[in-house]
Amino acid sequence: MKLYGHPFSTCTRKVLLTLAEKELQAEFVHIELSKGEQKNPEYLLKNPFGVVPFLEDGEIKMYESRAICRYLDAKSPQNKLTPTEISSRARMEQWTSVEHSYIDPAVGKMIHQKILHPMRGLATDLQVVESARKSLHFAFNILNSELRKSPYLAGEAFSLADLFIMPCHAHLTLAKEVEVMEAYPHLMNWWSRVSKRPSYKQFN
């Protein structure tokens, strides 16, 4: 297998975490985002959307990080990240959708405004930052209530729902916005559990 990506990318990190959880090996091909390599014609032949990551596994060629993670989980029987019990699986799908729709976009805005814009000599739009902060408070408050009831988002076992949210902590820390998570005790208890996993330690 080959994984094309950048270690700073939260989407690439999702796949790296999944590979580690599944005990799978993949050659890592570094795509330098700051040089625009994701927009090079040869890379666009792999992923026409011009983003990372991209996975090659024999005849299987995939983009979209969450789809790649689901493929890797289905490919290998050990250390399943998708519950078999229908209600737990439904909860997992609900929270992966929340991550995709509400958490990841807000974290992305934080990174663009507080890290990437200054690197490119652009001004930080504080209104965008505040809007993203409010969105994260809203979502994290809901996650906090859920994690009061169970150790993981899908129930008693770690799943893709937890894994997809894990990379946002590093980006919020880098953007000096980690207190948005720290305001929620059950969310931070969850973080204490998941950040001790060998897969997380491998890439942080």
Side-chain angles (χ1 to χ4, degrees), residues 9-15 17 64-67 69-70 91-108 135-136 139-140 142-143 153 159-169 171 190:
S9 154
T10 55
C11 290
T12 301
R13 287 189 177 201
K14 290 179 176 73
V15 179
L17 284 168
E64 293 301 306
S65 60
R66 296 166 187 83
C69 292
R70 286 180 168 89
R91 288 174 66 185
M92 185 202 82
E93 294 295 352
Q94 171 183 275
W95 293 111
T96 58
S97 183
V98 167
E99 180 272 333
H100 190 185
S101 299
Y102 304 104
I103 297 173
D104 188 65
V107 172
S135 295
L136 287 172
F140 287 159
I142 295 171
L143 262 67
L153 288 168
S159 75
L160 288 174
D162 305 288
L163 185 147
F164 289 170
I165 293 172
M166 287 170 66
C168 79
H169 185 274
H171 275 199
W190 167 87

Side-chain angles (χ1 to χ4, degrees), residues 188-200:
M188 290 310 296
N189 287 340
W190 167 87
W191 176 247
S192 179
R193 285 189 291 276
V194 298
S195 62
K196 290 183 174 70
R197 299 182 72 84
S199 62
Y200 181 80

Side-chain angles (χ1 to χ4, degrees), residues 2-17 19 27-39 43 47 50-55 65 68 111 115-116 119-120 167 170-171 174 203-204:
K2 283 187 180 181
L3 176 65
Y4 296 74
H6 191 288
F8 181 75
S9 154
T10 55
C11 290
T12 301
R13 287 189 177 201
K14 290 179 176 73
V15 179
L16 289 171
L17 284 168
L19 286 166
E27 176 187 348
F28 188 77
V29 181
H30 187 103
I31 301 297
E32 186 49 65
L33 303 180
S34 65
K35 296 180 180 178
E37 290 180 357
Q38 72 277 20
K39 305 296 184 184
Y43 183 75
N47 185 344
V51 294
V52 293
F54 176 78
L55 181 78
S65 60
I68 293 170
I111 288 298
I115 304 297
L116 299 181
M119 287 173 56
R120 296 165 181 166
H171 275 199
L174 190 63
F203 297 108
N204 291 274

Side-chain angles (χ1 to χ4, degrees), residues 21-149:
E21 288 283 343
K22 301 296 292 183
E23 300 176 20
L24 295 170
Q25 300 295 320
E27 176 187 348
F28 188 77
V29 181
H30 187 103
I31 301 297
E32 186 49 65
L33 303 180
S34 65
K35 296 180 180 178
E37 290 180 357
Q38 72 277 20
K39 305 296 184 184
N40 288 348
E42 59 269 28
Y43 183 75
L44 290 173
L45 292 175
K46 301 179 185 299
N47 185 344
F49 293 99
V51 294
V52 293
F54 176 78
L55 181 78
E56 290 180 350
D57 184 18
E59 294 183 357
I60 302 293
K61 303 180 190 308
M62 295 185 69
Y63 41 84
E64 293 301 306
S65 60
R66 296 166 187 83
I68 293 170
C69 292
R70 286 180 168 89
Y71 164 73
L72 293 171
D73 191 33
K75 172 186 172 71
S76 179
Q78 74 264 21
N79 306 328
K80 295 299 291 182
L81 299 172
T82 301
T84 55
E85 199 275 319
I86 190 167
S87 64
S88 295
R89 183 166 184 165
R91 288 174 66 185
M92 185 202 82
E93 294 295 352
Q94 171 183 275
W95 293 111
T96 58
S97 183
V98 167
E99 180 272 333
H100 190 185
S101 299
Y102 304 104
I103 297 173
D104 188 65
V107 172
K109 288 177 183 177
M110 288 286 197
I111 288 298
H112 276 85
Q113 292 296 328
K114 298 195 73 175
I115 304 297
L116 299 181
H117 279 199
M119 287 173 56
R120 296 165 181 166
L122 302 173
T124 296
D125 188 329
L126 296 179
Q127 288 186 329
V128 173
V129 172
E130 181 58 25
S131 175
R133 193 180 291 134
K134 287 180 179 178
S135 295
L136 287 172
H137 273 297
F138 182 80
F140 287 159
N141 184 49
I142 295 171
L143 262 67
N144 189 63
S145 296
E146 183 68 17
L147 291 165
R148 181 184 291 115
K149 309 170 195 172

